[in-house]
Amino acid sequence: MSVKSEALLEIKGLKVNFKSFEGTAQVINGVSLKVNKGEVISLVGESGCGKSVTVRSILGLVPTPPAQFTNGDITFEGQSLLGLSEKEWQKIRGKGISMIFQDPMTALNPVFTIGQHLIDVYMWQGKRNTLFTSMKEKRELRKKGRARAIEILEKMRIPDPEGILERYPIELSGGMRQRIIIALALIHTPKLLIADEPGTALDVSVQDQILIELKRLVEMEGISMIFITHNLGVARMISDRVYVMYAGEVVEEATTQSLFSQSYHPYTQGLLSSIPKLNGQMGDGIDGRIPDFLNPPQGCRFYDRCSERMDHCSLTPPKLQTLSDGRKVSCHLFAEEVVGIHG
Amino acid sequence: MKEFIIKRTLHIIPVLLGLSILIFALSRIMPGDSIRLKLGPEATQQQIEAMEEEMGLNDPLPVQYWNYMKGAFQGDMGMSLQSNRNVAIDIFETFPATFELIIIAMAISIAIGVPLGVISAVRKDKWEDHSTRIVALSGIALPKFWVAIMLQIVFAYWFSLLPVVGRGEIAPTTITGLRLLDSLITLNFDAFITSVKHIILPSIALSIATTAQIMRLTRSNMLNQLNKDYILAARSYGLPKGMIVYKYMLKNAFASTLTIIGLSFGALLGNAFLVEAVFGWPGMAQYGVQGVIYKDYNAIVGVTLVIGVAFAVANLIVDVLYGILDPRIKYDS
């Protein structure tokens, strides 16, 4: 992957606050990230660190209020997304950028068949259905939608696609539903796919199959992907680059290969050590919890839990900086003069 | 689906059997002496005893019940003390009027309540929401007879737009007893217009509380849908907002609204009496209440049974529709 590839999506210094009765929660605190064409990136971090809010912002699915976008910008193919009208969003959603939801049990509408889901998304993405839409046009679109639905289900290697179209979500297994959800996101072959921990709710072997399938499809169609996970193993398997998020900030960014050969940020190291080993040992884990977003610490947000904290860490927040080897990390340990020691 | 319908239909039988026993027993232990009321203060003891014997009131209760049910299956529901006619005939004449009124009131309630509920949910905490909620709350709080009288004063008396009482002078040939339907079948448009004019005010008065209830329920069910993953997912696929609201959310929300519609059917039958009384509507509800006042045993039991059957059938239809709307129901049962 060349460093100068073309950016498909770019988030710069995004800050999102949530207003509530207790005060203002600074949930996303200056996140920047970039997805190049044809690239798969992972967004890794524990629950509640702002992964979902970040990606939902990309699709305009964060309700304002209570959320406020106080700073930063999101650009997709050079177009700024923040401040789009609902109609303009509708054109991008599903076609430019699509999303796979986390829980296959709740992401399908229980009272519609799989066919109705797929065909509606095919027919009406970015459009409006009015009384004056020609019936003939609708019929033709529906026919095409059905054909496309069957085609995408076949691509997902789902047996008996025609039969599946008549089924209700309740009649399908979790793994099958997850595949349908992926098919829904891919029916218009989007340029960017956001996968919000797909398969997490399924058992490991099914999850594995689905991820392999997803990776194959994305590569085949040349789709870029943002993959959200708290599972570093999955991130390693699927992505080219990894962003590690902690408490609404990106703390480390690196290519998958370099991150797994040597991680820099103490939080990343903690995450890696918390993976249970197959020899029966539990991982070490990281003590403590994510800080309160209503009153975030003045200095580094990871200070309380950090094994290598220094005095000034609690006073000044670190900045995401590029090191001499091209990697990015947000930690005072890597202030320029100490790069040599740790690098 | 067929199995589901048959099963639900069979459920009705024990319900109606229980209802008939209960109502029959209650009507017999009700205080007051209907025969004395009927024959007047001049009646002699012999006359009263003769009448009691004639009506079979001296038999043990189970025998009376058995005889009554035997008759009822052959279309004989006993003699009415008010009209001196067979109760079955009285009901046959009055039921269509009430039924027509209730159907129209129900149609109005659904046609107004559901869209208002949707708008109120989609525009939550905006002025549309606040105003519909105020209207709905008053709809529930205001007594029906008061609303009925106000409607009469405003539309019939002040503006002389609509008639005050009755079902209208021009009647179509009776086929079903539902005048709107009969006049359409016989292509009698004068009768149709008259019938429409006469039914507007009473059906509105009757529908107001149900409309408010349906509106409030639709609103809360729709709000519930707003937070569902599949609705967020539908937005993420770029589906148009109108389609998400009126198709994806409403189909889910309407399934539970339907239950209330079935139950309101019973409430409408009960409330119909007040409206019928104010608008001089010759319906069964009024007949039934007269029966209660005059201790007209047979009329009370007859009317209650008919209401029970109507209520049970309405809820059967609701159950079946529910099964069609929400495939999960079929699998649960």
Side-chain angles (χ1 to χ4, degrees):
Chain A
M1 182 100 7
S2 71
V3 189
K4 287 212 169 171
S5 18
E6 214 180 323
L8 180 66
L9 177 98
E10 204 164 0
I11 302 181
K12 277 187 198 150
L14 185 72
K15 282 194 181 185
V16 185
N17 292 344
F18 279 80
K19 276 222 153 138
S20 69
F21 287 117
E22 291 94 43
T24 304
Q26 300 163 22
V27 174
I28 304 294
N29 191 28
V31 165
S32 298
L33 60 81
K34 198 168 94 173
V35 190
N36 295 316
K37 281 189 177 149
E39 192 185 26
V40 176
I41 66 156
S42 281
L43 214 54
V44 182
E46 62 197 291
S47 315
C49 71
K51 293 169 298 184
S52 287
V53 174
T54 306
V55 295
R56 282 177 190 192
S57 309
I58 301 173
L59 274 174
L61 293 177
V62 179
T64 48
Q68 291 175 307
F69 288 82
T70 53
N71 191 28
D73 197 8
I74 304 176
T75 49
F76 176 69
E77 297 189 303
Q79 181 192 13
S80 169
L81 296 183
L82 294 183
L84 284 190
S85 72
E86 193 63 21
K87 254 189 205 154
E88 292 165 315
W89 271 120
Q90 203 207 323
K91 295 226 178 341
I92 291 177
R93 291 177 190 148
K95 204 161 206 163
I97 311 171
S98 233
M99 182 157 169
I100 299 172
F101 280 79
Q102 186 179 124
D103 187 351
M105 298 304 159
T106 58
L108 290 171
N109 198 323
V111 300
F112 290 96
T113 61
I114 304 304
Q116 283 170 311
H117 278 92
L118 286 162
I119 294 169
D120 271 353
V121 174
Y122 180 83
M123 285 176 74
W124 301 113
Q125 188 284 329
K127 300 198 190 95
R128 279 183 68 203
N129 181 12
T130 65
L131 276 179
F132 305 104
T133 313
S134 131
M135 289 312 264
K136 193 176 162 218
E137 199 179 307
K138 278 197 209 176
R139 257 199 307 277
E140 273 163 15
L141 261 178
R142 189 164 291 124
K143 228 189 225 163
K144 274 197 211 158
R146 205 184 145 80
R148 171 67 180 147
I150 290 170
E151 184 193 2
I152 191 101
L153 292 182
E154 272 167 355
K155 264 192 196 163
M156 304 264 341
R157 297 186 180 155
I158 292 174
D160 182 25
E162 301 224 9
I164 292 281
L165 291 185
E166 308 306 320
R167 304 249 156 254
Y168 284 97
I170 196 177
E171 299 173 277
L172 304 179
S173 68
M176 198 57 90
R177 288 191 218 183
Q178 186 72 68
R179 281 169 223 255
I180 303 292
I181 291 167
I182 295 174
L184 276 165
L186 291 181
I187 198 160
H188 285 290
T189 327
K191 295 188 177 109
L192 175 66
L193 180 66
I194 298 167
D196 190 354
E197 308 203 35
T200 314
L202 304 171
D203 63 79
V204 187
S205 57
V206 178
Q207 184 187 6
D208 212 45
Q209 280 175 16
I210 284 175
L211 291 181
I212 291 168
E213 202 74 1
L214 181 63
K215 191 166 167 58
R216 186 179 64 84
L217 274 172
V218 166
E219 275 169 10
M220 199 167 78
E221 311 274 349
I223 298 169
S224 313
M225 179 159 76
I226 301 179
F227 194 92
I228 304 177
T229 182
H230 56 259
N231 186 332
L232 282 166
V234 170
R236 185 175 194 170
M237 178 190 121
I238 212 153
S239 54
D240 303 322
R241 267 187 315 128
V242 178
Y243 287 84
V244 181
M245 273 188 81
Y246 180 76
E249 292 169 349
V250 170
V251 294
E252 183 164 3
E253 177 203 331
T255 60
T256 310
Q257 213 184 359
S258 52
L259 186 89
F260 283 93
S261 56
Q262 163 119 57
S263 55
Y264 288 171
H265 198 281
Y267 176 64
T268 318
Q269 288 166 359
L271 272 184
L272 281 166
S273 71
S274 59
I275 300 171
K277 311 288 183 299
L278 275 178
N279 62 17
Q281 271 183 310
M282 285 301 287
D284 296 336
I286 313 168
D287 289 334
R289 284 189 299 156
I290 282 187
D292 183 5
F293 285 114
L294 290 170
N295 298 300
Q298 188 197 345
C300 176
R301 288 192 169 193
F302 190 55
Y303 178 78
D304 281 344
R305 302 168 73 184
C306 185
S307 53
E308 302 186 40
R309 62 186 174 201
M310 301 173 288
D311 287 344
H312 68 285
C313 289
S314 65
L315 301 172
T316 29
K319 284 204 178 83
L320 192 69
Q321 51 186 336
T322 312
L323 305 184
S324 51
D325 56 358
R327 290 175 58 173
K328 288 180 182 168
V329 66
S330 162
C331 180
H332 287 307
L333 285 173
F334 297 90
E336 273 166 75
E337 60 273 18
V338 287
V339 167
I341 304 167
H342 280 265
Chain B
M1 198 69 216
K2 220 190 247 167
E3 237 176 87
F4 175 77
I5 296 173
I6 293 170
K7 229 160 77 183
R8 287 292 153 108
T9 315
L10 291 179
H11 281 171
I12 292 186
I13 295 170
V15 171
L16 289 182
L17 203 68
L19 177 75
S20 65
I21 293 175
L22 193 71
I23 292 303
F24 193 84
L26 278 178
S27 74
R28 291 307 190 261
I29 58 175
M30 224 169 35
D33 191 334
S34 59
I35 306 295
R36 252 178 232 284
L37 259 171
K38 162 81 183 164
L39 294 178
E42 314 282 292
T44 63
Q45 192 60 32
Q46 282 89 346
Q47 278 175 311
I48 289 169
E49 275 168 15
M51 181 107 184
E52 276 175 350
E53 186 61 41
E54 187 198 322
M55 292 189 67
L57 292 178
N58 293 331
D59 293 335
L61 273 183
V63 176
Q64 284 188 35
Y65 175 74
W66 175 250
N67 288 335
Y68 180 84
M69 289 310 281
K70 218 165 57 182
F73 272 104
Q74 293 156 358
D76 173 13
M77 301 182 95
M79 203 185 67
S80 162
L81 294 178
Q82 314 169 57
S83 65
N84 288 325
R85 292 195 305 178
N86 194 317
V87 170
I89 295 174
D90 286 343
I91 289 177
F92 189 76
E93 273 177 9
T94 53
F95 180 69
T98 299
F99 190 64
E100 186 170 41
L101 187 62
I102 285 170
I103 293 293
I104 299 295
M106 198 50 131
I108 294 176
S109 297
I110 296 171
I112 296 176
V114 172
L116 277 187
V118 171
I119 290 168
S120 172
V122 174
R123 310 282 307 159
K124 184 173 180 273
D125 294 332
K126 308 258 165 44
W127 67 267
E128 295 95 327
D129 182 29
H130 293 309
S131 43
T132 35
R133 282 165 72 193
I134 289 170
V135 173
L137 200 62
S138 357
I140 289 175
L142 298 175
K144 252 151 291 298
F145 65 89
W146 183 83
V147 173
I149 293 170
M150 289 314 284
L151 285 174
Q152 276 182 330
I153 293 176
V154 175
F155 291 98
Y157 193 69
W158 286 355
F159 297 117
S160 309
L161 287 174
L162 296 163
V164 186
V165 291
R167 292 181 85 187
E169 311 287 283
I170 316 169
T173 330
T174 305
I175 300 170
T176 58
L178 307 174
R179 287 199 176 178
L180 291 174
L181 195 61
D182 286 350
S183 55
L184 281 182
I185 293 172
T186 56
L187 300 175
N188 186 343
F189 293 108
D190 288 342
F192 183 73
I193 288 165
T194 314
S195 305
V196 168
K197 276 186 179 166
H198 279 84
I199 207 167
I200 289 177
L201 290 185
S203 55
I204 287 177
L206 185 57
S207 71
I208 280 179
T210 315
T211 308
Q213 223 180 356
I214 289 177
M215 184 246 129
R216 284 162 59 101
L217 204 76
T218 305
R219 176 178 182 273
S220 67
N221 288 336
M222 288 292 282
L223 286 179
N224 224 339
Q225 291 294 318
L226 276 176
N227 314 321
K228 298 281 186 192
D229 267 8
Y230 51 78
I231 296 304
L232 197 66
R235 289 180 63 202
S236 83
Y237 305 141
L239 290 173
K241 195 177 175 196
M243 179 174 252
I244 293 174
V245 170
Y246 286 98
K247 186 170 179 183
Y248 283 76
M249 287 167 66
L250 188 58
K251 194 174 177 193
N252 278 287
F254 194 66
S256 28
T257 309
L258 212 66
T259 317
I260 281 297
I261 291 177
L263 294 176
S264 329
F265 195 82
L268 283 180
L269 277 164
N271 289 332
F273 155 67
L274 289 169
V275 173
E276 284 180 7
V278 174
F279 286 97
W281 193 262
M284 189 186 69
Q286 216 181 341
Y287 174 75
V289 172
Q290 293 294 327
V292 173
I293 293 167
Y294 288 111
K295 308 267 181 294
D296 188 349
Y297 296 151
N298 289 333
I300 296 169
V301 179
V303 168
T304 317
L305 272 181
V306 170
I307 290 179
V309 172
F311 188 56
V313 170
N315 279 285
L316 171 72
I317 294 171
V318 162
D319 274 352
V320 172
L321 287 179
Y322 205 82
I324 292 172
L325 272 184
D326 191 340
R328 285 170 297 181
I329 305 296
K330 276 180 280 175
Y331 295 92
D332 288 347
S333 59

